[in-house]
Amino acid sequence: MYNFDEIIDRRNTNAMNTDGFRSYIFHADENMKFPYKDEEFIRMWVADMEFATPQVIIDGIKERLDKRIFGYTKIFSNDYYNAFSDWCQRRYGWNFEKKHLVMSNGIIPALYELVQYICKKDEKVLFLTPSYAYFKYAADFSNRTPICSDLIDNDGYYTIDFEDFEKKAADEKTTLFILCNPHNPTGRVWKEEELKKLGKICEKYDVWVISDEIHCDLLRCDKQHIPLAKLFPNYKRIITCMAPSKTFNLAGLMISNVIIPDDNLREVWLSKHYNFDNPLSVAGAQAAYEKGEDWLKELQKYLDKNFEFTKEYLNKNLPKAKFKISEATYLAWVNLEEYFDKTENLPIFFANKAGVLLEGGNMFVQNSDCFIRLNLACPKSILEKGLKRICKAVNEKHHHHHH
């Protein structure tokens, strides 16, 4: 019914994915040269998908276009809330009051603001590492101290070091914990008991929690997402962030949901946060929540197959790579410590030697040396090409070493 094998050309659309890799991955300008032409690269880096947004969303946007005026817009009607709230009820058995929902142009901008509203100048922000770098940047931006609690890597399956976490949460200067649920880059879907333990520790020490749940819809078919706030309905210090951007490949539409149950913090947000909503984004997001679930189910099946394929391919062609299929996200987190030492810049190596753009452990704060993160949200034919190039480059490097 949906064609996830279709290859769509993204050039000449100002796509970050095709045009932004020099600045984003390599902090370089357009003069940086590679042995590959830009269009020859296999792109497995930034977290958007190579799949078309479902037609129901495009139709929703077209309908809004036909209204012909795009003036100042905020979400006033109940339609959007109903669509999103039904989605959460149906998929997670969870709900929230309409007044708790505020909109943001993205979860990252929301984090940057919330850190400032929640933490005083000398206070600390805690998160689990390896981590999406912007959790740290959100702390750095307003000169709050980032504190890392390293996850425990059990042969590719990550768990929380609760003793370490509690020790850091207990510090009276630690006032905010940013949780990634499900976790990027490790792909863990946190279990109920893990979330309960985390939440209880935060409650015990009055720590605020921002639960970034942007990947919550992108689970393997047999997994279930639990919003942290669902387990702690009376703890008002949990802020939940969700968005249609990853799920439906709408990142460029810049619309995110932020659920703030605490009245005081929400007042601060509403008084300081300058926000109108893009009318086309509202229409697209609403259509996604109302009519996109069917497409999402098919997408999940396709991604499951891509993960299986990746696992088999690496087992066969790069047997010393350590990789467990991610429970969530479309991102594979692969440990190459048997092939590289910690000093190697992996994104540079793979760009030059394999013609593959990917992100290395250096982009995930710490506890991530020798890892690469691969975006598997692409047609299988492209995935196969990318994996082939990756394995060939690593094996050739090894071949030279041993002779």
Side-chain angles (χ1 to χ4, degrees):
M1 192 176 161
Y2 304 105
N3 183 9
F4 295 104
D5 293 314
E6 181 191 359
I7 295 174
I8 299 173
D9 183 8
R10 299 178 67 179
R11 280 174 310 161
N12 306 315
T13 63
N14 289 312
M16 177 85 175
N17 197 313
T18 54
D19 296 16
F21 66 89
R22 281 180 178 76
S23 58
Y24 193 96
I25 306 179
F26 303 111
H27 308 296
D29 64 18
E30 66 279 4
N31 299 313
M32 187 179 190
K33 294 277 182 280
F34 297 95
Y36 292 83
K37 290 199 192 88
D38 284 17
E39 60 271 21
E40 292 172 339
F41 278 115
I42 300 285
R43 304 182 311 276
M44 303 179 82
W45 68 291
V46 67
D48 61 15
M49 305 197 268
E50 296 291 304
F51 305 129
T53 288
Q55 192 59 41
V56 287
I57 296 178
I58 295 167
D59 293 342
I61 293 171
K62 282 182 177 162
E63 234 169 86
R64 179 62 186 82
L65 279 172
D66 290 338
K67 303 267 195 288
R68 301 188 306 159
I69 292 182
F70 310 99
Y72 289 115
T73 302
K74 282 193 173 190
I75 297 176
F76 295 108
S77 82
N78 284 326
D79 304 349
Y80 179 80
Y81 167 75
N82 291 338
F84 175 45
S85 146
D86 289 352
W87 177 269
C88 290
Q89 190 62 59
R90 203 165 58 240
R91 293 182 65 85
Y92 316 123
W94 174 65
N95 226 305
F96 49 89
E97 286 179 55
K98 177 171 190 273
K99 68 170 189 177
H100 293 172
L101 175 65
V102 298
M103 305 309 293
S104 171
N105 283 351
I107 291 177
I108 297 311
L111 288 180
Y112 276 59
E113 280 186 55
L114 288 164
V115 167
Q116 295 188 3
Y117 303 157
I118 290 169
C119 304
K120 297 190 183 74
K121 277 280 187 273
D122 61 339
E123 292 177 342
K124 303 171 184 175
V125 181
L126 174 60
F127 49 90
L128 305 172
T129 33
S131 164
Y132 181 52
Y134 280 88
F135 291 6
K136 179 182 183 297
Y137 299 158
D140 294 342
F141 179 72
S142 53
N143 301 312
R144 311 305 196 254
T145 310
I147 302 290
C148 305
S149 178
D150 281 346
L151 294 168
I152 302 161
D153 179 356
N154 316 283
D155 208 29
Y157 185 78
Y158 285 79
T159 52
I160 297 157
D161 182 341
F162 285 103
E163 208 174 308
D164 180 70
F165 180 80
E166 174 149 16
K167 200 171 75 204
K168 286 164 178 167
D171 176 346
E172 61 181 30
K173 290 293 179 197
T174 304
T175 49
L176 171 63
F177 166 45
I178 303 179
L179 171 66
C180 198
N181 173 34
H183 191 262
N184 166 26
T186 69
R188 270 303 314 279
V189 171
W190 303 118
K191 293 189 169 85
E192 182 164 349
E193 70 212 57
E194 293 172 304
L195 292 169
K196 277 188 172 151
K197 267 183 157 173
L198 284 174
K200 283 191 177 128
I201 292 169
C202 291
E203 234 179 355
K204 181 173 168 186
Y205 300 105
D206 285 330
V207 175
W208 285 87
V209 187
I210 300 173
S211 187
D212 174 353
E213 308 197 357
I214 195 163
H215 294 277
C216 65
D217 300 313
L218 295 162
L219 274 54
R220 302 293 74 77
C221 290
D222 59 342
K223 293 279 180 276
Q224 186 56 48
H225 170 73
I226 306 169
L228 179 69
K230 179 184 178 177
L231 302 176
F232 294 89
N234 301 319
Y235 190 52
K236 299 287 185 232
R237 292 193 164 191
I238 297 173
I239 298 145
T240 306
C241 301
M242 290 179 173
S245 50
K246 290 274 183 279
T247 312
F248 297 102
N249 213 16
L250 302 172
L253 289 189
M254 307 285 294
I255 189 167
S256 300
N257 308 298
V258 180
I259 296 146
I260 309 179
D262 182 88
D263 295 335
N264 293 332
L265 181 66
R266 201 171 56 256
E267 278 310 304
V268 172
W269 172 279
L270 292 170
S271 66
K272 294 192 177 185
H273 175 85
Y274 182 80
N275 193 72
F276 287 99
D277 297 311
N278 181 322
L280 301 182
S281 305
V282 176
Q286 189 177 316
Y289 290 132
E290 283 172 355
K291 303 175 184 141
E293 197 159 20
D294 191 49
W295 177 88
L296 175 58
K297 284 177 177 154
E298 294 306 308
L299 169 74
Q300 286 180 283
K301 287 180 200 159
Y302 195 89
L303 290 175
D304 281 14
K305 285 204 187 96
N306 274 359
F307 271 99
E308 288 294 339
F309 176 76
T310 300
K311 180 82 181 135
E312 284 160 24
Y313 198 93
L314 291 175
N315 281 350
K316 198 169 143 206
N317 299 289
L318 215 54
K320 290 186 187 148
K322 294 193 191 114
F323 167 60
K324 251 197 171 35
I325 290 179
S326 307
E327 297 176 330
T329 79
Y330 43 69
L331 306 160
W333 184 239
V334 185
N335 183 344
L336 298 179
E337 67 189 356
E338 297 287 334
Y339 296 100
F340 293 93
D341 71 49
K342 289 177 170 31
T343 58
E344 181 99 46
N345 182 322
L346 296 179
I348 287 269
F349 173 86
F350 286 107
N352 282 322
K353 298 283 189 263
V356 174
L357 299 172
L358 51 75
E359 295 184 44
N362 59 329
M363 297 201 164
F364 300 93
V365 186
Q366 67 179 44
N367 193 23
S368 53
D369 289 339
C370 299
F371 278 83
I372 54 173
R373 191 185 79 165
L374 302 175
N375 182 340
L376 308 189
C378 60
K380 186 183 169 206
S381 60
I382 292 178
L383 174 60
E384 192 163 0
K385 235 185 236 166
L387 291 172
K388 200 180 215 154
R389 289 184 181 190
I390 286 169
C391 294
K392 184 168 177 277
V394 177
N395 286 322
E396 274 175 7
K397 165 190 185 284
H398 247 67
H399 198 68
H400 295 316
H401 273 221
H402 294 303
H403 291 160

